[in-house]
């Protein structure tokens, strides 16, 4: 059974050689030595903490240790906590603000820069460059753009004698300000994903369309966009998973304020666990985030599986 | 790279407008960085009286000299280099071994184990954060280098990437070596590993960047100032932001912290693009 699973065993070698190879392809415990070192870290630092986290979420736990079993009490506390519900709402609002913008701008940039010129290559490099910066530098840059009376925005508005919108302090605008900084920071990834999808569209289709004198818009609408539809869905899901984990920008730009309007779930988890040391509550909140992300990841799995069936 | 425009109607006015739009957007995108760089080159007192002074001389490098003299930036850079460097090397070793094992060797429960490792890709950092923190508290790993490095070694992405890569190498290569009675490890080391160098570069840069820019784990594990990584250190010096004192100095720290990674990016751009496309296949 195991031999059959390995296509390499049917090589062009002689019968004797094939026998030797087959012997060596037999399942042996010894072979697992190669994966054992990684597996050690995987189990101790990922699998065990994952289940431990679930266990913690069912207990009353603080900095001094784990107390008694409380069942779903931590979860009930979360659903009665207005600030948690607000954090969930804020996170969805943030995802709603950033994900469509990232997908559409990313698609536009990929369509515009999918050409062989040096200018296009340089622009691709520019658009991806912000993605390699850490969140600290990104927020430092954007705070200095948005900040009150001496930021870049305030200076530009000042030239026209106007007052800049207060992206860091107006409750209606803080999440939008964080979203702008995030789109600036993250735009490289969707652009790259769309570019690699565009390059997989067969050229013959475009040549046929050119022969039919199809207009630019018709070609885009009827050929390009349908060909990359699956990538579009994948970009949306990947970005939902990533943007659900908003933390650094909110903590560094607004500390979740004013009045918790920019507090996302991860900041709530961080504060519950490492400021109030209510570890059980923090663990319960992270399980809820996990479930939300898992739903998006499962969607991705089923879409990529359908790809396998079709192609 | 295949060009869409060549397959379409050719170079047209519409084409040019789109390119000009993309260039303008790129300039707009660079504006905040230019603003920060310009501020870092200004005297702090001058900045406080007139922001528009950013646009004209005199410029000064006094803020950068002050970094050398007063700031902990060097210690933080050293910490980041140690953490990200060690993590990258260990990730390459562990992922290559495991990738070879999963792609080329057979052992009991191989496929089950591989699926479990792949499932690990779907686990967000936050789901394991609190338990990891508790574990590391008991082991007294906080505020140590291994405390900062270890969690990164559990990430399954490298194993996934290397398994895919090893699978793509023709089987005949190691079968021929097997007939010469070479050991499994020798085949891995002498025959296959040299062929995986592009994947090693991709994974190495990807791991290094992720670790260098990590914010959440170093924030809760490295809480002593001398154990800050660069990301955390720069964030910690933002507390005096509101008073607008030392703005130029703060901005010079941002430039100082951001420039190395941007330069690294320019050098290794090709591999970063491969890494991103590789992640897309997933």
């Amino acid at each position: 059974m195991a031999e059959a699973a390995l296509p390499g065993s049917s090589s062009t070698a002689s019968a004797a050689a094939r026998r030797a190879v087959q012997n060596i392809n037999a399942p042996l415990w010894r072979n697992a030595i190669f994966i054992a070192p990684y597996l050690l870290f995987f189990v101790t630092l990922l699998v065990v903490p994952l289940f431990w986290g679930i266990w913690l979420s069912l207990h009353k736990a603080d900095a001094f240790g784990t107390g008694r079993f409380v069942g779903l009490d931590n979860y009930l506390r979360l659903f009665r906590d207005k600030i948690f519900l607000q954090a969930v709402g804020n996170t969805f609002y943030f995802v709603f603000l950033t994900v469509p913008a990232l997908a559409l701008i990313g698609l536009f940039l990929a369509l515009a820069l999918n050409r062989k010129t040096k200018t296009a290559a340089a622009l691709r490099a520019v658009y991806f460059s912000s993605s390699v910066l850490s969140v600290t530098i990104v927020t430092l840059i954007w705070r200095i753009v948005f900040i009150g009376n001496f930021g870049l925005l305030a200076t530009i508005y000042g030239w026209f004698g106007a007052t800049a919108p207060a992206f860091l302090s107006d409750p209606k605008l803080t999440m939008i300000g964080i979203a702008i900084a995030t789109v600036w920071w993250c735009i490289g990834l969707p652009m790259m994903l769309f570019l690699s999808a565009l390059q997989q569209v067969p050229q013959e289709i475009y040549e046929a369309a050119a022969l039919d004198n199809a207009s630019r818009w018709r070609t885009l609408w009827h050929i390009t966009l349908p060909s990359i539809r699956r990538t579009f869905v994948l970009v949306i899901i990947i970005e939902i998973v990533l943007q659900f984990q908003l933390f650094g920008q909110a903590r560094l730009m607004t500390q979740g304020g004013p009045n918790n309007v920019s507090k996302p779930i991860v900041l709530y988890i961080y504060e519950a666990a490492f400021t109030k040391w209510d570890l059980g509550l923090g663990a319960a909140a992270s399980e809820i985030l996990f479930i939300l992300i898992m739903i998006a990841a499962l969607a991705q799995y089923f879409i990529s599986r359908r790809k396998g069936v079709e192609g | 790279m295949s060009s869409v425009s060549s397959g379409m109607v050719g170079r047209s006015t519409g084409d040019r407008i789109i390119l000009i739009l993309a260039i303008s957007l790129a300039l707009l995108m660079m504006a905040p960085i230019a603003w920060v760089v310009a501020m870092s080159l200004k005297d702090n007192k001058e900045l406080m009286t007139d922001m528009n002074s950013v646009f004209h001389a005199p410029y000064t490098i006094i803020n950068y000299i002050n970094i050398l003299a007063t700031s902990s930036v060097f210690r933080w850079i050293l910490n980041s280099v140690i953490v990200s460097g060690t993590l990258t090397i260990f990730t390459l070793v562990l992922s290559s071994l495991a990738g070879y094992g999963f792609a080329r060797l057979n052992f009991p429960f191989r496929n089950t184990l591989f699926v479990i490792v792949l499932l690990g890709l779907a686990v967000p950092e936050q789901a394991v954060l609190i338990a990891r923190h508790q574990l590391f508290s008991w082991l007294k790993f906080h505020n140590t280098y291994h405390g900062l490095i270890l969690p990164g070694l559990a990430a399954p992405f490298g194993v996934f990437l290397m398994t895919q890569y090893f699978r793509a190498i023709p089987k005949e290569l190691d079968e021929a070596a097997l007939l010469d009675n070479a050991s499994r490890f020798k085949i891995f080391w002498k025959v296959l590993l040299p062929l995986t160098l592009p994947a090693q570069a991709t994974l190495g840069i990807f791991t290094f960047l992720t670790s260098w820019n990590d914010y959440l784990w170093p924030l809760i594990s490295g809480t002593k100032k001398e154990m800050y990584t660069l990301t955390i250190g720069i964030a910690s010096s933002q507390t005096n932001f509101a008073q607008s004192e030392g703005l130029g100095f703060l901005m010079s720290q941002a430039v100082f912290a951001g420039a190395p990674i941007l330069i690294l990016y320019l050098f290794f751009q090709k591999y970063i693009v491969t890494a991103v496309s590789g992640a897309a296949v997933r």
Side-chain angles (χ1 to χ4, degrees), chain B residues 221-237:
Chain B
S221 185
T223 49
K224 286 194 179 134
K225 198 176 180 189
E226 63 270 21
M227 285 311 291
Y228 284 168
T229 59
L230 189 60
T231 301
I232 304 301
I234 295 292
S236 77
S237 52

Side-chain angles (χ1 to χ4, degrees), chain B residues 130-148:
Chain B
I130 296 171
R132 257 182 204 164
H133 183 272
Q134 227 182 9
L135 175 70
F136 279 38
S137 296
W138 288 336
L139 295 168
K140 302 213 184 314
F141 277 4
H142 289 309
N143 289 306
T144 65
Y145 286 120
H146 48 277
L148 290 169

Side-chain angles (χ1 to χ4, degrees), chain A residues 2 5-6 8-9 11 17 20-21 24-29 31-32 34-35 37-39 41-42 44-46 49-50 52-53 56 62 65-66 105 108-109 112-117 119 123-137 139-145 147 150-152 155 159 184 187 189 192-193 196 198-199 203 206-207 210 214-216 219-220 245 247-248 251-252 266 269-270 273-274 277 279 282-283 286-287 289-290 293-294 297 300 304 307, chain B residues 1-12 14-15 18-19 21-23 25-26 28-33 35-36 39 51-52 55 94 97-98 100-110 113 116-117 120 122-136 138 150-151 153-156 159 171-172 175 178-179 184-185 188 209 212-213 215-216 219-220 231-232 234-235 238 241-242 244 247 250-251 254 257-258 261-262 265 269 272-273 276-277 280-282:
Chain A
L6 291 163
S9 53
S11 75
V21 169
I24 243 140
N25 275 336
L28 289 175
W29 282 107
N31 287 338
F34 283 91
I35 63 151
Y38 171 73
L39 228 46
F41 292 105
F42 180 75
T44 51
L45 293 165
L46 198 94
L50 183 63
W52 194 339
L56 265 178
D62 56 32
T66 309
I105 300 172
F108 166 75
L109 291 177
L113 301 179
N114 186 24
R115 47 181 110 202
K116 283 178 188 166
T117 61
T119 318
L123 286 173
R124 287 195 298 268
V126 167
Y127 281 112
F128 195 77
S129 63
S130 58
S131 311
V132 303
L133 296 173
S134 73
V135 66
T136 308
I137 296 167
T139 52
L140 201 50
I141 290 172
W142 280 92
R143 284 171 74 193
I144 212 65
V145 171
I147 204 152
F150 50 86
L152 176 59
T155 307
W159 295 339
W184 182 88
I187 192 61
L189 179 67
M192 289 295 188
L193 297 181
S196 55
L198 286 175
Q199 281 156 30
Q203 277 299 292
Y206 288 117
E207 280 153 21
S215 76
R216 177 185 202 88
T219 315
L220 174 70
Q245 303 181 42
F247 174 67
R251 182 163 190 270
L252 291 166
V266 181
I269 295 170
Y270 173 81
F274 303 113
W277 294 101
L279 296 182
S286 41
E287 298 314 326
L289 178 73
F290 185 22
I293 288 175
M294 191 68 107
Q300 183 185 355
S304 40
K307 172 167 112 187
Chain B
M1 184 214 288
S2 63
S3 157
V4 168
S5 57
S6 73
M8 288 159 95
V9 213
R11 188 93 346 149
S12 65
D15 222 28
I18 290 174
L19 192 63
L21 203 61
I23 293 173
L25 208 59
L28 196 68
M29 192 161 156
M30 299 306 283
I33 293 182
W35 181 249
V36 165
M39 281 182 75
M51 260 299 145
N52 282 310
F55 297 100
L94 293 173
L97 285 169
Y100 173 75
F102 278 126
R104 302 301 245 218
L105 302 177
N106 200 2
F107 45 86
F109 308 113
R110 182 189 63 177
L113 283 173
I116 291 173
V117 169
V123 178
E125 191 187 4
Q126 296 85 15
V128 292
L129 195 68
I130 296 171
R132 257 182 204 164
H133 183 272
Q134 227 182 9
L135 175 70
F136 279 38
W138 288 336
L150 282 169
L153 296 179
V159 175
K171 281 253 171 187
E172 284 77 16
E175 279 170 8
L178 274 176
L179 294 180
R184 282 296 194 180
F185 186 77
F188 164 73
L209 268 181
W212 186 274
N213 290 334
Y215 179 67
L216 189 50
L219 180 69
I220 63 170
T231 301
I232 304 301
I234 295 292
Q238 288 185 37
F241 206 86
S244 79
L247 265 180
L250 197 56
M251 292 306 115
I261 208 76
L262 277 177
Y265 162 70
Q269 222 200 98
I272 292 177
V273 171
V276 171
S277 319
V281 175
R282 185 180 106 201

Side-chain angles (χ1 to χ4, degrees), chain B residues 56-129:
Chain B
H56 56 72
Y59 293 104
T60 168
I61 55 163
I62 183 73
N63 293 317
Y64 291 92
I65 294 169
N66 282 342
I67 291 183
L68 307 184
T70 60
S71 166
S72 314
V73 158
F74 281 108
R75 173 71 200 235
W76 300 337
I77 288 179
L78 181 72
N79 289 346
S80 279
V81 168
I82 291 172
V83 170
S84 303
T86 317
L87 178 64
T88 304
I89 291 165
F90 273 86
T91 299
L92 289 179
V93 172
L94 293 173
S95 305
S96 307
L97 285 169
Y100 173 75
F102 278 126
R104 302 301 245 218
L105 302 177
N106 200 2
F107 45 86
F109 308 113
R110 182 189 63 177
N111 295 339
T112 316
L113 283 173
F114 190 60
V115 169
I116 291 173
V117 169
L118 285 192
L119 284 177
L121 283 169
V123 178
E125 191 187 4
Q126 296 85 15
V128 292
L129 195 68

Side-chain angles (χ1 to χ4, degrees), chain A residues 36-75:
Chain A
Y38 171 73
L39 228 46
L40 177 75
F41 292 105
F42 180 75
V43 170
T44 51
L45 293 165
L46 198 94
V47 178
V48 170
L50 183 63
F51 287 101
W52 194 339
I54 296 169
W55 188 84
L56 265 178
S57 76
L58 302 172
H59 286 74
K60 190 170 165 48
D62 56 32
F64 305 104
T66 309
R68 62 200 163 79
F69 177 78
V70 292
L72 293 176
D73 189 46
N74 287 323
Y75 293 91

